[in-house]
Amino acid sequence: MDVRVVESLVMAEIGDGVLTALYPVEHCARWEFGPWAPLMGWFKQRPGLTRMLGVAQVAGALAVAATLSKTPGRAWKK
């Protein structure tokens, strides 16, 4: 997969994780619709857990970013 695609996904995950960590109830409420509404409601009722998962999401995304290739092309060199 191209490094720019993976980096774009990593940036989205970092942003989502930051919003989740800073505003867990509000962020979950904004996504409380469709088939995942019950799950978002469950997370909304548990802001501490939701905040912790947001921080973990940012850490995971940063870990992926640290492993990416430094040049355009394949995300990971063999």
Side-chain angles (χ1 to χ4, degrees):
M1 186 177 281
D2 189 84
V3 69
R4 291 165 290 204
V5 172
V6 176
E7 188 173 46
S8 296
L9 294 171
V10 165
M11 290 187 299
E13 288 300 310
I14 290 170
D16 184 62
V18 168
L19 287 174
T20 301
L22 295 177
Y23 310 106
V25 174
E26 297 86 347
H27 186 59
C28 288
R30 291 181 194 118
W31 292 96
E32 197 173 5
F33 69 93
W36 51 85
L39 183 61
M40 290 295 107
W42 189 88
F43 280 113
K44 190 170 75 170
Q45 294 172 0
R46 294 160 178 82
L49 173 64
T50 304
R51 183 173 279 125
M52 183 187 71
L53 291 173
V55 170
Q57 182 178 359
V58 171
L62 290 173
V64 170
T67 68
L68 291 176
S69 170
K70 312 242 182 302
T71 58
R74 292 183 55 88
W76 296 279
K77 303 291 184 195
K78 290 185 177 183

Coordinates of all heavy atoms in Angstrom, one line a residue:
M1 N 0.8 -1.2 0.0 CA 0.0 0.0 0.0 C 0.9 1.2 0.0 O 2.0 1.2 0.6 CB -0.9 0.0 1.2 CG -1.9 1.1 1.3 SD -3.0 1.1 2.7 CE -4.2 -0.2 2.1
D2 N 0.5 2.3 -0.6 CA 1.2 3.5 -0.8 C 1.4 4.2 0.6 O 0.4 4.3 1.3 CB 0.6 4.4 -1.8 CG 1.5 5.6 -2.1 OD1 2.4 5.5 -3.0 OD2 1.3 6.7 -1.5
V3 N 2.5 4.7 0.9 CA 2.8 5.4 2.1 C 1.9 6.6 2.4 O 1.5 6.8 3.5 CB 4.3 5.7 2.2 CG1 4.7 6.8 1.3 CG2 4.7 6.1 3.7
R4 N 1.6 7.3 1.3 CA 0.7 8.5 1.5 C -0.7 8.1 1.9 O -1.4 8.8 2.6 CB 0.7 9.3 0.2 CG 2.1 10.0 0.0 CD 2.3 10.5 -1.4 NE 2.4 9.3 -2.3 CZ 2.9 9.3 -3.5 NH1 3.4 10.5 -3.9 NH2 3.0 8.3 -4.2
V5 N -1.2 6.9 1.4 CA -2.5 6.5 1.8 C -2.5 6.1 3.3 O -3.4 6.5 4.0 CB -2.9 5.3 0.9 CG1 -4.2 4.6 1.4 CG2 -3.1 5.7 -0.5
V6 N -1.5 5.3 3.7 CA -1.4 4.9 5.1 C -1.2 6.1 6.0 O -1.9 6.2 7.0 CB -0.2 3.9 5.3 CG1 -0.1 3.6 6.7 CG2 -0.5 2.7 4.4
E7 N -0.4 7.1 5.6 CA -0.2 8.3 6.4 C -1.5 9.1 6.5 O -1.8 9.6 7.6 CB 0.9 9.1 5.8 CG 1.3 10.3 6.8 CD 2.5 11.0 6.3 OE1 2.6 11.4 5.1 OE2 3.3 11.3 7.2
S8 N -2.3 9.1 5.4 CA -3.5 9.8 5.5 C -4.5 9.2 6.5 O -5.2 9.8 7.3 CB -4.2 9.9 4.1 OG -3.4 10.6 3.2
L9 N -4.5 7.8 6.5 CA -5.3 7.1 7.4 C -4.8 7.3 8.9 O -5.7 7.5 9.8 CB -5.3 5.6 7.1 CG -6.0 5.2 5.8 CD1 -5.8 3.8 5.4 CD2 -7.5 5.5 5.8
V10 N -3.5 7.4 9.0 CA -3.0 7.6 10.4 C -3.4 9.0 10.9 O -3.7 9.2 12.0 CB -1.4 7.5 10.3 CG1 -0.8 8.1 11.5 CG2 -1.0 6.0 10.2
M11 N -3.3 10.0 10.0 CA -3.7 11.3 10.4 C -5.2 11.4 10.8 O -5.5 12.0 11.8 CB -3.5 12.3 9.3 CG -2.0 12.6 9.0 SD -1.6 13.9 7.8 CE -2.4 13.3 6.3
A12 N -6.0 10.7 10.1 CA -7.5 10.6 10.5 C -7.6 10.0 11.8 O -8.4 10.4 12.6 CB -8.3 9.9 9.4
E13 N -6.9 8.9 12.0 CA -7.0 8.2 13.3 C -6.5 9.0 14.5 O -7.1 9.0 15.6 CB -6.2 6.9 13.3 CG -6.8 5.8 12.4 CD -8.2 5.4 12.9 OE1 -8.4 5.1 14.1 OE2 -9.1 5.4 12.1
I14 N -5.4 9.8 14.3 CA -4.9 10.7 15.3 C -6.0 11.8 15.6 O -6.3 12.0 16.8 CB -3.6 11.4 14.9 CG1 -2.5 10.3 14.9 CG2 -3.3 12.5 15.8 CD1 -1.2 10.8 14.2
G15 N -6.6 12.3 14.6 CA -7.6 13.3 14.8 C -8.8 12.8 15.6 O -9.4 13.4 16.5
D16 N -9.3 11.6 15.2 CA -10.4 11.0 15.8 C -10.1 10.6 17.3 O -10.9 10.8 18.2 CB -10.8 9.7 15.0 CG -12.0 9.0 15.6 OD1 -13.1 9.7 15.7 OD2 -11.9 7.9 16.1
G17 N -8.9 10.1 17.5 CA -8.4 9.8 18.9 C -8.4 11.0 19.8 O -8.7 11.0 20.9
V18 N -7.9 12.1 19.2 CA -7.8 13.4 20.0 C -9.2 13.8 20.4 O -9.5 14.2 21.5 CB -7.0 14.4 19.3 CG1 -7.1 15.8 19.9 CG2 -5.5 14.1 19.2
L19 N -10.1 13.9 19.4 CA -11.5 14.3 19.7 C -12.1 13.3 20.7 O -12.8 13.8 21.6 CB -12.3 14.3 18.4 CG -12.1 15.4 17.5 CD1 -12.9 15.2 16.2 CD2 -12.4 16.7 18.1
T20 N -11.9 12.0 20.6 CA -12.4 11.1 21.6 C -11.8 11.3 23.0 O -12.6 11.2 24.0 CB -12.1 9.6 21.1 OG1 -12.7 9.5 19.8 CG2 -12.7 8.6 22.0
A21 N -10.5 11.6 23.0 CA -9.9 11.8 24.3 C -10.4 13.1 25.0 O -10.6 13.1 26.2 CB -8.4 11.8 24.2
L22 N -10.5 14.1 24.2 CA -10.9 15.4 24.8 C -12.4 15.6 25.0 O -12.8 16.2 26.0 CB -10.4 16.6 23.9 CG -8.9 16.7 23.7 CD1 -8.6 17.8 22.7 CD2 -8.2 17.0 25.1
Y23 N -13.2 15.0 24.2 CA -14.7 15.2 24.2 C -15.4 13.9 24.1 O -16.1 13.6 23.1 CB -15.1 16.2 23.2 CG -14.4 17.5 23.1 CD1 -13.4 17.7 22.1 CD2 -14.5 18.4 24.1 CE1 -12.7 18.9 22.1 CE2 -13.8 19.6 24.1 CZ -12.9 19.8 23.1 OH -12.2 21.0 23.0
P24 N -15.2 12.9 25.0 CA -15.7 11.6 24.8 C -17.2 11.5 24.6 O -17.7 10.8 23.7 CB -15.2 10.8 26.0 CG -15.0 11.8 27.0 CD -14.5 13.0 26.3
V25 N -18.0 12.2 25.4 CA -19.4 12.1 25.4 C -19.9 12.8 24.1 O -20.8 12.3 23.4 CB -20.1 12.8 26.6 CG1 -21.6 12.9 26.5 CG2 -19.6 12.0 27.9
E26 N -19.4 14.0 23.8 CA -19.9 14.8 22.7 C -19.5 14.1 21.4 O -20.3 14.0 20.4 CB -19.3 16.2 22.7 CG -19.7 17.0 23.8 CD -18.9 16.8 25.1 OE1 -18.1 15.9 25.1 OE2 -19.0 17.7 26.0
H27 N -18.3 13.5 21.3 CA -17.9 12.8 20.1 C -18.7 11.6 19.8 O -19.1 11.3 18.7 CB -16.4 12.5 20.2 CG -15.8 11.9 18.9 ND1 -15.8 12.6 17.7 CD2 -15.2 10.7 18.7 CE1 -15.2 11.9 16.8 NE2 -14.8 10.7 17.4
C28 N -19.0 10.8 20.8 CA -19.9 9.6 20.7 C -21.3 10.0 20.3 O -21.9 9.4 19.5 CB -19.9 8.8 21.9 SG -18.3 7.9 22.2
A29 N -21.8 11.1 20.9 CA -23.2 11.5 20.6 C -23.3 11.9 19.1 O -24.3 11.7 18.5 CB -23.6 12.7 21.5
R30 N -22.3 12.5 18.6 CA -22.3 12.9 17.2 C -22.4 11.8 16.2 O -22.9 11.9 15.1 CB -21.1 13.8 16.8 CG -21.1 15.1 17.5 CD -19.8 15.9 17.1 NE -19.7 17.0 18.0 CZ -18.6 17.2 18.8 NH1 -17.6 16.3 18.8 NH2 -18.6 18.2 19.6
W31 N -21.9 10.6 16.6 CA -21.9 9.4 15.8 C -23.0 8.4 16.2 O -23.0 7.2 15.8 CB -20.5 8.8 15.8 CG -19.6 9.6 15.1 CD1 -18.7 10.6 15.6 CD2 -19.4 9.7 13.7 NE1 -18.0 11.2 14.6 CE2 -18.4 10.7 13.4 CE3 -20.0 9.1 12.6 CZ2 -18.0 11.1 12.1 CZ3 -19.5 9.4 11.3 CH2 -18.6 10.4 11.1
E32 N -23.9 8.8 17.1 CA -24.9 7.9 17.6 C -26.1 7.8 16.7 O -27.2 8.3 16.9 CB -25.3 8.4 19.0 CG -26.1 7.4 19.8 CD -26.3 7.8 21.2 OE1 -26.0 9.0 21.6 OE2 -26.8 7.0 22.0
F33 N -25.9 7.1 15.5 CA -27.0 6.9 14.6 C -26.6 5.7 13.8 O -25.5 5.2 13.8 CB -27.2 8.1 13.7 CG -26.1 8.4 12.7 CD1 -26.1 7.9 11.4 CD2 -24.9 9.1 13.1 CE1 -25.0 8.1 10.5 CE2 -23.9 9.4 12.2 CZ -23.9 8.8 10.9
G34 N -27.6 5.2 13.0 CA -27.3 4.0 12.2 C -27.1 2.8 12.9 O -27.5 2.7 14.1
P35 N -26.5 1.8 12.3 CA -26.4 0.5 12.9 C -25.5 0.5 14.2 O -25.6 -0.4 15.0 CB -25.8 -0.4 11.8 CG -25.2 0.5 10.9 CD -26.0 1.8 11.0
W36 N -24.6 1.4 14.3 CA -23.7 1.5 15.4 C -24.2 2.4 16.6 O -23.5 2.6 17.5 CB -22.3 1.9 15.0 CG -22.3 3.2 14.2 CD1 -22.3 4.4 14.7 CD2 -22.2 3.3 12.8 NE1 -22.2 5.3 13.7 CE2 -22.2 4.7 12.5 CE3 -22.2 2.4 11.8 CZ2 -22.3 5.1 11.2 CZ3 -22.2 2.9 10.5 CH2 -22.2 4.2 10.2
A37 N -25.4 2.8 16.5 CA -26.0 3.7 17.6 C -25.9 3.1 18.9 O -25.5 3.7 19.9 CB -27.4 4.1 17.2
P38 N -26.3 1.8 19.1 CA -26.2 1.2 20.4 C -24.8 1.2 21.0 O -24.6 1.4 22.2 CB -26.7 -0.2 20.2 CG -27.6 -0.2 19.0 CD -26.9 0.9 18.1
L39 N -23.8 0.9 20.1 CA -22.4 0.9 20.6 C -22.0 2.3 21.0 O -21.3 2.5 22.0 CB -21.5 0.4 19.5 CG -20.1 0.2 19.8 CD1 -19.9 -0.8 20.9 CD2 -19.3 -0.3 18.6
M40 N -22.3 3.3 20.2 CA -21.9 4.7 20.6 C -22.6 5.1 21.9 O -22.0 5.8 22.7 CB -22.3 5.6 19.4 CG -21.5 5.5 18.2 SD -19.8 5.9 18.5 CE -19.0 4.3 18.4
G41 N -23.9 4.7 22.1 CA -24.6 5.0 23.3 C -23.8 4.4 24.5 O -23.7 5.0 25.6
W42 N -23.4 3.1 24.3 CA -22.6 2.4 25.4 C -21.4 3.2 25.7 O -21.1 3.4 26.9 CB -22.3 1.0 24.9 CG -21.8 0.1 25.9 CD1 -22.5 -0.7 26.8 CD2 -20.4 -0.1 26.2 NE1 -21.6 -1.4 27.6 CE2 -20.3 -1.0 27.3 CE3 -19.2 0.4 25.6 CZ2 -19.1 -1.5 27.8 CZ3 -18.0 -0.1 26.2 CH2 -17.9 -1.0 27.2
F43 N -20.6 3.6 24.7 CA -19.4 4.4 25.0 C -19.7 5.7 25.6 O -18.9 6.2 26.4 CB -18.6 4.6 23.7 CG -17.8 3.3 23.3 CD1 -18.1 2.6 22.2 CD2 -16.7 2.9 24.1 CE1 -17.3 1.5 21.8 CE2 -15.9 1.8 23.8 CZ -16.3 1.1 22.6
K44 N -20.8 6.4 25.2 CA -21.1 7.7 25.7 C -21.4 7.6 27.2 O -21.1 8.5 27.9 CB -22.4 8.2 25.0 CG -22.7 9.6 25.3 CD -23.8 10.2 24.4 CE -25.1 9.6 24.7 NZ -26.2 10.3 24.0
Q45 N -21.9 6.5 27.7 CA -22.2 6.3 29.1 C -20.9 5.9 29.9 O -21.0 5.9 31.1 CB -23.2 5.2 29.3 CG -24.6 5.5 28.7 CD -25.5 4.3 28.8 OE1 -25.2 3.2 29.2 NE2 -26.7 4.5 28.3
R46 N -19.8 5.7 29.2 CA -18.6 5.4 29.9 C -17.4 6.3 29.4 O -16.5 5.9 28.7 CB -18.2 3.9 29.5 CG -19.2 2.9 30.2 CD -19.2 1.6 29.5 NE -20.1 0.7 30.1 CZ -21.4 0.6 29.8 NH1 -22.0 1.5 29.0 NH2 -22.2 -0.2 30.5
P47 N -17.5 7.6 29.8 CA -16.5 8.6 29.2 C -15.1 8.3 29.6 O -14.2 8.5 28.8 CB -17.0 9.9 29.8 CG -17.9 9.6 30.9 CD -18.5 8.2 30.6
G48 N -14.8 7.7 30.8 CA -13.5 7.4 31.2 C -12.8 6.3 30.3 O -11.7 6.5 29.8
L49 N -13.6 5.3 30.0 CA -13.1 4.2 29.1 C -12.9 4.8 27.7 O -11.9 4.5 27.1 CB -14.1 3.1 29.1 CG -13.8 1.9 28.1 CD1 -12.5 1.2 28.4 CD2 -15.0 1.0 28.1
T50 N -13.9 5.6 27.3 CA -13.9 6.1 25.9 C -12.6 7.0 25.8 O -11.9 7.0 24.8 CB -15.2 6.9 25.6 OG1 -16.3 6.0 25.8 CG2 -15.2 7.5 24.2
R51 N -12.4 7.8 26.8 CA -11.2 8.7 26.8 C -9.9 7.9 26.7 O -9.0 8.2 25.9 CB -11.2 9.6 28.0 CG -10.1 10.6 28.0 CD -10.3 11.6 29.2 NE -11.2 12.6 28.8 CZ -12.3 12.9 29.5 NH1 -12.7 12.3 30.6 NH2 -13.1 13.9 29.0
M52 N -9.8 6.8 27.5 CA -8.7 6.0 27.5 C -8.4 5.3 26.1 O -7.3 5.3 25.6 CB -8.8 4.9 28.5 CG -7.6 4.0 28.6 SD -7.8 2.6 29.7 CE -9.0 1.6 28.8
L53 N -9.5 4.9 25.5 CA -9.4 4.3 24.1 C -9.0 5.3 23.1 O -8.3 5.0 22.2 CB -10.7 3.6 23.7 CG -11.1 2.4 24.5 CD1 -12.5 1.9 24.2 CD2 -10.1 1.3 24.3
G54 N -9.4 6.6 23.3 CA -9.0 7.6 22.4 C -7.5 7.9 22.5 O -6.8 8.0 21.5
V55 N -7.0 7.9 23.7 CA -5.5 8.0 23.9 C -4.8 6.8 23.3 O -3.7 7.0 22.6 CB -5.2 8.2 25.4 CG1 -3.7 8.1 25.7 CG2 -5.8 9.5 25.9
A56 N -5.3 5.6 23.5 CA -4.7 4.4 22.9 C -4.7 4.5 21.4 O -3.8 4.1 20.7 CB -5.4 3.2 23.4
Q57 N -5.8 5.0 20.8 CA -5.9 5.2 19.4 C -4.8 6.1 18.8 O -4.2 5.8 17.8 CB -7.3 5.7 19.0 CG -7.6 5.9 17.6 CD -9.0 6.4 17.3 OE1 -9.8 6.6 18.2 NE2 -9.3 6.5 16.1
V58 N -4.6 7.2 19.5 CA -3.5 8.1 19.1 C -2.2 7.4 19.2 O -1.4 7.5 18.3 CB -3.6 9.4 19.9 CG1 -2.3 10.3 19.7 CG2 -4.8 10.2 19.7
A59 N -1.9 6.7 20.3 CA -0.6 6.1 20.5 C -0.4 5.0 19.4 O 0.7 4.9 18.8 CB -0.6 5.4 21.9
G60 N -1.5 4.2 19.1 CA -1.3 3.2 18.0 C -1.1 3.8 16.7 O -0.2 3.3 15.9
A61 N -1.8 4.9 16.4 CA -1.6 5.6 15.1 C -0.1 6.1 15.0 O 0.5 6.1 13.9 CB -2.6 6.7 14.9
L62 N 0.4 6.7 16.1 CA 1.7 7.2 16.1 C 2.7 6.1 15.9 O 3.8 6.2 15.2 CB 2.0 8.0 17.3 CG 1.3 9.3 17.4 CD1 1.5 10.0 18.8 CD2 1.7 10.3 16.3
A63 N 2.4 4.9 16.5 CA 3.3 3.8 16.3 C 3.4 3.3 14.9 O 4.5 3.0 14.4 CB 2.9 2.6 17.2
V64 N 2.2 3.3 14.2 CA 2.2 2.9 12.8 C 3.0 4.0 12.0 O 3.8 3.6 11.1 CB 0.8 2.8 12.3 CG1 0.7 2.7 10.8 CG2 0.1 1.6 12.9
A65 N 2.8 5.3 12.3 CA 3.5 6.3 11.5 C 5.0 6.2 11.7 O 5.7 6.4 10.7 CB 3.0 7.7 12.0
A66 N 5.4 5.8 12.8 CA 6.9 5.6 13.1 C 7.5 4.5 12.2 O 8.7 4.5 12.0 CB 7.1 5.4 14.6
T67 N 6.7 3.6 11.8 CA 7.2 2.4 11.0 C 7.2 2.7 9.5 O 7.7 1.9 8.8 CB 6.5 1.1 11.3 OG1 5.1 1.2 10.8 CG2 6.5 0.9 12.8
L68 N 6.6 3.8 9.1 CA 6.4 4.0 7.7 C 7.7 4.3 6.9 O 8.6 4.9 7.5 CB 5.4 5.1 7.4 CG 3.9 4.9 7.8 CD1 3.1 6.1 7.6 CD2 3.4 3.7 7.0
S69 N 7.7 4.0 5.7 CA 8.9 4.3 4.8 C 9.0 5.8 4.8 O 8.1 6.6 4.8 CB 8.6 3.8 3.4 OG 9.6 4.3 2.5
K70 N 10.3 6.3 4.7 CA 10.6 7.7 4.6 C 10.4 8.3 3.2 O 10.5 9.5 3.1 CB 12.0 7.9 5.2 CG 12.2 7.2 6.5 CD 12.5 8.1 7.6 CE 12.8 7.4 8.9 NZ 11.8 6.5 9.5
T71 N 10.3 7.4 2.2 CA 10.2 7.9 0.9 C 8.9 7.5 0.2 O 8.2 6.6 0.7 CB 11.3 7.4 0.0 OG1 11.3 5.9 0.1 CG2 12.7 7.8 0.6
P72 N 8.4 8.2 -0.8 CA 7.2 7.8 -1.5 C 7.3 6.4 -2.0 O 8.4 5.9 -2.3 CB 7.1 8.8 -2.6 CG 7.9 10.0 -2.2 CD 9.0 9.4 -1.4
G73 N 6.1 5.8 -2.2 CA 6.1 4.4 -2.7 C 5.5 3.5 -1.6 O 4.5 3.9 -1.0
R74 N 6.0 2.3 -1.5 CA 5.4 1.3 -0.6 C 5.5 1.8 0.9 O 6.5 2.4 1.2 CB 6.1 0.0 -0.7 CG 5.9 -0.7 -2.0 CD 6.5 -2.1 -2.1 NE 6.2 -3.0 -1.0 CZ 5.1 -3.8 -1.0 NH1 4.3 -3.8 -2.0 NH2 4.9 -4.5 0.0
A75 N 4.5 1.6 1.6 CA 4.5 2.1 3.0 C 5.6 1.4 3.9 O 6.1 2.1 4.7 CB 3.1 1.8 3.6
W76 N 5.8 0.1 3.6 CA 6.8 -0.6 4.4 C 7.7 -1.3 3.4 O 7.3 -2.0 2.5 CB 6.1 -1.6 5.3 CG 5.3 -0.9 6.4 CD1 5.7 -0.4 7.5 CD2 3.9 -0.8 6.3 NE1 4.7 0.2 8.2 CE2 3.5 -0.1 7.5 CE3 2.9 -1.1 5.4 CZ2 2.2 0.3 7.8 CZ3 1.6 -0.8 5.7 CH2 1.2 -0.1 6.9
K77 N 9.0 -1.2 3.6 CA 10.0 -1.8 2.8 C 10.2 -3.3 3.3 O 10.1 -3.5 4.5 CB 11.3 -1.1 2.8 CG 11.2 0.3 2.4 CD 10.9 0.5 0.9 CE 11.0 2.0 0.5 NZ 10.4 2.2 -0.7
K78 N 10.4 -4.2 2.4 CA 10.6 -5.6 2.8 C 12.0 -5.8 3.3 O 12.9 -5.1 3.0 CB 10.3 -6.5 1.6 CG 8.9 -6.6 1.3 CD 8.6 -7.6 0.2 CE 7.1 -7.7 0.0 NZ 6.8 -8.7 -1.0

